[in-house]
């Protein structure tokens, strides 16, 4: 008990020192001190609190061991049991996968041969308390109450570092469980090898959301291994190697010299040899690696500086900026190699390949944000999509560890590519990119055969027909803009005309986009605009007619004409926010969250809608509702996100909107003006330029724009271009408590 008390005191002292350091350094723009990685780990945020670096290959983080929707990242703040620490995690998605290569320190010999039907039967699980848990960008720490072990984690781009502090005299041991799986994941073939007294390696093949996932790993320890117990399919095996559907291992280490045991782990999609190449060399200087991770994050977060007297706003903003830079993740190895979906090994030449492309979510604001923060990385992401095209001859939908999950609707790699090219981002083959975009939209998969035949997708031929039609129309518009930029006039006209597909589905009588039959006349009846049915026997994806009828970001002016007038349009749009929040149906989508009326900020299809008032000459309504969303849908608690984080999109919306800007049409190169929440926000652009947004008199009540200037010249428009932003300068707003209905018209 005395040893335990000393250990807790030690952890408390270290933690106190860390807090003191944060407070002292906050005066020196230590941006990481404003980040709380626990935001989004509660509610439906689905984020993880563990250690990673910007866009890093590994995300070493705790797993509670629960298979449930709110545990999609492996962790939920409501829990108090940890099953271990695995090395791959998804940030804020709605489908659970990964949690590969689980490590767990223990202080006694355990029986790993018994089958564990649930985490309750895992012999190595432990209780923990949030009081003894800390997370900062690049590091994570928790005290395991059952074995009385303090766990610290940090990471570089391709190597995770573990530090375990045991109680005096305790047995020092580590469990490695390759059979551990949660949610959709299931191991199908695994192997572990004890290579020498310091090194283990192996692989884990699994199926789940990613149907053919292959992860190879190597781990080195700071102490020699003194004893091993190898398990294959719940049976002890002799020798140095275990192979089977499920393999695990218990390692023992000499506890004489120090209470600390360190490990470093690297992964690869290609081979154990590549994992060894990815493994950082040198010693086990955990504190140095942790400091470098923090420094890397500090640099990434310093790309935007904000000034506000409200500390909670700094926490929300910099946590959002942090979450906007954890995905996509590095996928290619140090030597450039990576595995493609057809199990071939290819080499990324002059670029880094990325995976975890949650494009249905991120094309809206996350990817446009990266065109400002990290344009060089954007070209690498485009090249990653083009490498996928080489294999499939179609651009990706939602790729995870090279696997196409085909999750969600549309082909939104297309707006990401168009946005990059039209903003002047180089580093990829534009002609090849256009070829890929055109080929994708001219094939017959995922309802495009119906779309080409009818000009829309009939509801009686395919579920989610309205959402899919609207998104294909937008993708077509993006192909048209790319064609125009490349001088391909015939292609431009073809895809531009097809991008008007939304016109087929607009019902002027109700004001909604509705499912239409293949006869070209009959609407899907009966119709209830509030009705939701999750992903089947429905015309809308994860939502209803109220939420999905507004997706015409590429031609809002024509969309307004379909309503009849600006007044009709804005009245219907206003009704969206003040309608009752009742959702009808027996299988309502859980993704409908963050409701303001029928507006659902917790899911991406709503994210552009508040900015549409600008196009209807009522920008003060955009200002009102954007500020209302900023104030009500984000906070500093674990439940601080109103829906799935979705690989940075929920956070990117906040980053943009809090500065007073938003890419309502993501590939247009324009940012709509909303309502800035900070006195000053400075975007530090490449090349040393800055773009500053100032909001004079801004406060909780003063959120309406009274007047504006750009570089001292009167600015009376509701959007600003990416080109103007890159030139640098100062966009100055004067804010007030009442709307100025003449500004921006």
């Amino acid at each position: 008990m005395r040893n335990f008390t000393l250990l807790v005191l030690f952890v408390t002292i270290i933690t106190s020192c860390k807090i003191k350091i944060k407070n002292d350094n906050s005066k020196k723009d230590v941006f990481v001190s404003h980040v709380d990685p626990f935001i989004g780990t509660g509610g439906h945020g689905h984020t993880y609190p563990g250690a990673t670096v910007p866009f890093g290959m590994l995300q070493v983080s705790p797993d509670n061991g629960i298979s449930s929707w709110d545990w999609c990242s492996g962790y939920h703040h409501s829990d108090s049991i940890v099953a271990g620490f695995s090395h791959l995690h998804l940030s804020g998605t709605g489908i659970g996968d990964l949690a590969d290569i689980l490590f767990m320190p223990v202080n006694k010999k355990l029986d790993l041969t018994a089958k564990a039907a649930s985490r309750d039967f895992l012999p190595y699980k432990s209780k923990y308390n949030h009081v003894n848990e800390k997370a900062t960008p690049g590091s994570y720490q928790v005290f395991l109450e059952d074995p009385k072990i303090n766990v610290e984690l940090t990471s570089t781009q391709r190597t995770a570092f573990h530090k375990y502090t045991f109680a005096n005299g305790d047995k020092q041991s580590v469990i490695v469980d390759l059979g551990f799986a949660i949610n959709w994941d299931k191991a199908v073939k695994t192997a572990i090898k004890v290579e020498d007294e310091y090194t283990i390696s192996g692989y884990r093949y699994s199926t789940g959301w990613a149907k053919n996932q292959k992860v190879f790993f190597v781990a080195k320890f700071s102490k020699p291994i003194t004893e091993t117990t190898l398990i294959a399919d719940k049976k002890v095996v002799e020798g140095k190697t275990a192979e089977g559907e499920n393999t695990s291992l218990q390692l023992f280490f000499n506890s004489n010299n120090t209470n600390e045991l360190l490990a470093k782990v690297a992964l690869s999609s290609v081979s154990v040899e590549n994992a060894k190449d990815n493994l950082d060399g040198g010693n086990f200087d955990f504190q140095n690696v942790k400091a470098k991770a923090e420094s890397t994050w500090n640099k990434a977060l310093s790309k935007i500086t904000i000034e506000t007297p409200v500390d909670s706003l700094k926490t929300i903003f910099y946590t959002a900026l942090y979450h906007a830079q954890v995905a996509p993740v590095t996928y290619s190895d140090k030597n450039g190699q990576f595995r493609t979906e057809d199990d071939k090994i290819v080499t990324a030449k002059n670029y880094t390949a990325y995976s975890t492309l949650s494009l249905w979510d991120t094309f809206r604001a996350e990817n446009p944000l990266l065109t400002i923060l990290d344009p060089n990385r954007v070209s690498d992401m485009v090249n990653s999509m083009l490498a996928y095209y080489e294999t499939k001859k179609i651009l990706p939908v939602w790729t995870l560890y090279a696997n196409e999950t085909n999750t969600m609707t549309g082909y939104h790699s297309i707006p990401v590519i168009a946005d990059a090219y039209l903003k002047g981002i180089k580093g990829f083959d534009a002609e090849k990119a256009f070829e890929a975009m055109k080929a994708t939209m001219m094939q017959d998969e995922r309802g495009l055969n119906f779309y080409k035949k009818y000009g829309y997708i009939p509801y009686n031929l395919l579920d989610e027909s309205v959402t899919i039609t609207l998104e294909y129309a937008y993708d077509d518009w993006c192909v048209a803009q790319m064609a125009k930029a490349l001088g391909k006039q015939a292609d431009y006209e073809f895809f531009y005309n097809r991008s008007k597909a939304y016109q087929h589905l607009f019902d002027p009588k109700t004001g909604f986009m509705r499912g239409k039959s293949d006869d070209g006349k009959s609407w899907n009846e009966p119709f209830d605009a509030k009705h939701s049915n999750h992903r089947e026997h429905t015309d809308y994806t994860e939502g209803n007619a109220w939420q999905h009828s507004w997706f015409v970001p590429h031609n809002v002016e024509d969309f307004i004409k379909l309503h009849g007038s600006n007044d009709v349009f804005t009245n219907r749009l206003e009704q969206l926010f003040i309608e009752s929040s009742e959702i009808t149906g027996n299988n309502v989508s859980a993704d409908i969250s963050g409701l303001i009326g029928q507006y659902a900020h917790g899911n991406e299809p709503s994210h552009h809608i508040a900015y549409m008032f600008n196009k209807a000459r009522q920008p003060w309504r955009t200002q009102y509702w954007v500020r209302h969303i900023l104030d009500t849908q984000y906070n500093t608690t674990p439940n601080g996100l109103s829906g799935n984080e979705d690989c940075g999109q929920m956070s990117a919306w906040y980053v943009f909107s809090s500065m007073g800007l938003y890419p309502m049409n993501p590939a247009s190169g324009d940012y709509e003006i909303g309502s800035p929440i900070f006195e000053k926000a400075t975007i530090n652009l490449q090349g040393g330029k800055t773009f500053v947004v100032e909001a004079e008199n801004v406060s909780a009540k003063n959120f309406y724009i009274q007047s504006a200037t750009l570089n001292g010249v009167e600015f009376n428009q509701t959007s600003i271009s990416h080109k103007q932003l890159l030139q640098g300068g100062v966009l100055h707003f004067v804010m007030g408590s009442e709307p100025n209905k003449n500004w921006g018209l």
Side-chain angles (χ1 to χ4, degrees):
M1 186 65 187
R2 180 175 174 273
N3 291 340
F4 169 59
T5 304
L6 288 172
L7 182 58
V8 171
L9 180 63
F10 169 75
V11 172
T12 304
I13 291 169
I14 292 298
T15 302
S16 300
C17 291
K18 182 166 61 176
I19 292 171
K20 183 178 180 182
I21 289 168
K22 283 172 65 175
N23 289 341
D24 289 344
N25 288 346
S26 62
K27 300 173 183 176
K28 304 175 184 176
D29 287 335
V30 180
F31 300 98
V32 292
S33 68
H34 299 302
V35 176
D36 183 355
F38 289 112
I39 292 177
T41 60
H44 302 318
H46 297 181
T47 62
Y48 59 82
T52 190
V53 293
F55 311 100
M57 176 178 275
L58 299 103
Q59 311 82 39
V60 57
S61 188
D63 293 299
N64 297 132
I66 289 284
S67 292
S68 186
W69 190 56
D70 279 332
W71 278 258
C72 279
S73 74
Y75 177 99
H76 196 264
H77 201 267
S78 64
D79 216 323
S80 59
I81 301 291
V82 64
F85 307 90
S86 62
H87 292 79
L88 295 175
H89 293 87
L90 289 163
S91 179
T93 66
I95 298 183
D97 212 328
L98 303 184
D100 291 69
I101 321 298
L102 185 90
F103 278 45
M104 183 63 165
V106 295
N107 63 352
K108 59 186 175 183
K109 191 173 182 67
L110 298 174
D111 180 8
L112 300 179
T113 62
K115 290 186 178 180
S118 70
R119 77 161 180 193
D120 294 339
F121 299 95
L122 290 174
Y124 48 75
K125 70 180 186 301
S126 175
K127 293 179 182 177
Y128 69 99
N129 191 303
H130 294 307
V131 172
N132 296 318
E133 182 185 34
K134 305 292 179 207
T136 61
S139 68
Y140 173 85
Q141 173 270 321
V142 68
F143 181 74
L144 304 179
E145 295 181 355
D146 295 332
K148 299 177 177 54
I149 299 170
N150 193 54
V151 175
E152 297 174 77
L153 308 171
T154 190
S155 184
T156 64
Q157 187 181 21
R158 291 186 175 87
T159 301
F161 288 75
H162 301 239
K163 179 181 178 182
Y164 309 136
T165 304
F166 295 82
N168 286 337
D170 268 7
K171 191 181 292 287
Q172 297 181 15
S173 179
V174 176
I175 302 291
V176 180
D177 190 349
L178 302 189
F180 175 82
I182 55 172
N183 293 312
W184 290 260
D185 181 55
K186 181 182 184 298
V188 294
K189 186 180 180 183
T190 66
I192 302 177
K193 180 181 181 181
V194 180
E195 296 210 349
D196 57 44
E197 61 179 346
Y198 291 98
T199 312
I200 64 170
S201 64
Y203 61 81
R204 183 180 190 272
Y205 300 170
S206 62
T207 186
W209 196 21
K211 299 299 181 187
N212 179 33
Q213 188 192 352
K214 295 183 176 179
V215 182
F216 300 84
F217 80 96
V218 63
K220 281 189 175 293
F221 297 91
S222 60
K223 292 181 176 182
I225 300 165
T226 59
E227 182 186 346
T228 63
T229 303
L230 280 159
I231 309 293
D233 297 329
K234 300 303 178 182
K235 294 180 181 178
V236 176
V237 297
E238 300 298 324
K240 298 294 185 182
T241 303
E243 294 181 337
E245 183 178 307
N246 295 298
T247 55
S248 56
L249 167 71
Q250 183 164 17
L251 301 169
F252 299 89
F253 302 86
N254 194 317
S255 59
N256 292 343
N257 299 330
T258 172
N259 289 352
E260 292 180 356
L261 173 66
L262 297 102
K264 51 185 177 180
V265 183
L267 309 182
S268 167
S269 69
V270 175
S271 65
V272 168
E273 287 306 309
N274 274 22
K276 290 178 179 178
D277 188 43
N278 289 339
L279 189 72
D280 288 351
N283 57 21
F284 292 85
D285 190 345
F286 185 91
Q287 290 305 122
N288 184 48
V289 174
K290 178 181 172 182
K292 285 183 178 178
E294 181 174 300
S295 175
T296 301
W297 271 115
N298 215 52
K299 182 178 179 181
L301 296 168
S302 70
K303 292 174 183 177
I304 304 177
T305 59
I306 61 167
E307 295 179 20
T308 175
V310 185
D311 286 343
S312 62
L313 292 182
K314 291 180 182 177
T315 299
I316 296 170
F317 179 84
Y318 282 108
T319 303
L321 194 57
Y322 164 77
H323 279 141
Q325 297 180 84
V326 298
V329 302
T330 299
Y331 182 56
S332 54
D333 293 332
K334 195 178 289 185
N335 65 6
Q337 290 185 326
F338 62 97
R339 186 180 298 272
T340 58
E341 190 172 32
D342 57 0
D343 255 351
K344 292 180 180 175
I345 306 302
V346 299
T347 302
K349 296 179 180 177
N350 301 316
Y351 75 96
T352 298
Y354 288 89
S355 181
T356 310
L357 300 175
S358 182
L359 294 163
W360 188 80
D361 309 293
T362 63
F363 86 93
R364 304 167 197 268
E366 158 79 1
N367 291 105
L369 180 62
L370 296 183
T371 66
I372 300 171
L373 300 181
D374 212 335
N376 293 334
R377 205 181 298 269
V378 170
S379 63
D380 284 3
M381 292 173 186
V382 172
N383 279 315
S384 302
M385 298 175 198
L386 296 180
Y388 177 93
Y389 170 73
E390 285 295 304
T391 301
K392 296 277 288 187
K393 300 307 175 188
I394 297 174
L395 284 166
V397 177
W398 207 130
T399 60
L400 177 66
Y401 232 78
N403 285 244
E404 179 57 84
T405 68
N406 271 315
T407 300
M408 310 313 293
T409 45
Y411 282 98
H412 299 313
S413 45
I414 288 172
V416 173
I417 296 171
D419 184 44
Y421 183 72
L422 295 172
K423 286 177 177 174
I425 292 176
K426 309 297 183 184
F428 62 92
D429 186 333
E431 288 291 341
K432 181 180 178 181
F434 179 76
E435 171 199 310
M437 295 162 74
K438 180 177 178 180
T440 298
M441 291 307 294
M442 292 306 293
Q443 45 92 17
D444 291 331
E445 291 187 16
R446 292 163 50 84
L448 276 167
N449 52 336
F450 303 131
Y451 182 76
K452 290 191 294 186
K453 180 177 179 180
Y454 297 99
Y456 63 96
I457 296 175
Y459 79 85
N460 56 319
L461 300 182
L462 190 66
D463 279 344
E464 302 179 330
S465 61
V466 172
T467 299
I468 298 172
T469 297
L470 297 179
E471 293 186 6
Y472 282 161
Y474 180 67
D475 292 340
D476 274 344
W477 183 86
C478 294
V479 178
Q481 303 314 303
M482 188 82 167
K484 185 177 183 180
L486 292 172
K488 302 178 186 295
Q489 186 64 24
D491 284 326
Y492 166 73
E493 292 176 5
F494 174 83
F495 286 103
Y496 183 77
N497 288 331
R498 212 170 69 166
S499 75
K500 299 174 184 177
Y502 60 87
Q503 295 176 349
H504 291 287
L505 301 187
F506 182 74
D507 175 15
K509 189 175 292 185
T510 63
F512 292 103
M513 296 288 182
R514 294 182 57 187
K516 182 176 280 187
S517 171
D518 58 357
D519 65 12
K521 297 178 290 184
S522 307
W523 298 113
N524 192 0
E525 300 286 0
F527 176 67
D528 175 2
K530 295 182 179 179
H531 185 269
S532 165
N533 202 59
H534 185 66
R535 303 308 311 265
E536 59 181 6
H537 308 305
T538 179
D539 296 335
Y540 311 97
T541 302
E542 295 182 353
N544 61 23
W546 271 112
Q547 291 132 24
H548 282 265
S549 291
W550 308 96
F551 192 69
V552 190
H554 55 294
N555 204 342
V556 183
E557 292 83 357
D558 182 58
F559 187 33
I560 293 170
K561 288 179 183 176
L562 292 179
H563 284 78
S565 69
N566 279 343
D567 286 342
V568 173
F569 177 81
T570 52
N571 286 341
R572 284 176 176 165
L573 191 50
E574 184 79 8
Q575 191 65 35
L576 169 73
F577 291 95
I578 62 175
E579 184 70 24
S580 78
S581 295
E582 175 195 17
I583 307 294
T584 62
N586 297 321
N587 185 28
V588 172
S589 177
D591 297 276
I592 303 175
S593 61
L595 285 166
I596 304 171
Q598 286 287 316
Y599 173 90
H601 192 71
N603 208 19
E604 281 68 25
S606 287
H607 280 189
H608 70 291
I609 297 175
Y611 290 91
M612 299 182 90
F613 287 111
N614 279 356
K615 297 295 186 182
R617 300 177 60 80
Q618 294 193 13
W620 63 92
R621 289 191 176 185
T622 284
Q623 293 155 34
Y624 175 86
W625 287 115
V626 166
R627 182 57 184 261
H628 184 73
I629 297 165
L630 285 164
D631 288 346
T632 62
Q633 301 300 303
Y634 298 84
N635 62 60
T636 59
T637 72
N639 200 18
L641 298 173
S642 59
N644 298 168
E645 163 62 16
D646 283 319
C647 295
Q649 171 56 28
M650 193 69 67
S651 289
W653 188 96
Y654 189 92
V655 170
F656 268 124
S657 295
S658 64
M659 294 191 295
L661 309 171
Y662 191 75
M664 183 194 71
N665 175 357
S668 67
D670 291 328
Y671 305 102
E672 293 297 315
I673 305 287
S675 180
I677 203 169
F678 308 122
E679 281 80 353
K680 185 177 182 181
T682 302
I683 302 173
N684 298 301
L685 302 165
Q686 286 192 335
K689 292 183 179 180
T690 61
F691 183 80
V692 180
V693 181
E694 296 175 338
E696 183 181 339
N697 300 327
V698 70
S699 69
K701 293 182 179 179
N702 294 346
F703 51 80
Y704 288 112
I705 296 171
Q706 306 299 298
S707 63
T709 58
L710 179 61
N711 298 326
V713 179
E714 182 183 4
F715 185 82
N716 194 38
Q717 61 192 59
T718 59
S719 66
I720 188 169
S721 71
H722 184 76
K723 184 177 180 181
Q724 287 174 297
L725 187 150
L726 290 188
Q727 289 172 351
V730 178
L731 178 59
H732 182 90
F733 295 105
V734 177
M735 311 299 289
S737 60
E738 297 294 329
N740 176 1
K741 295 185 178 181
N742 294 315
W743 182 83
L745 303 183

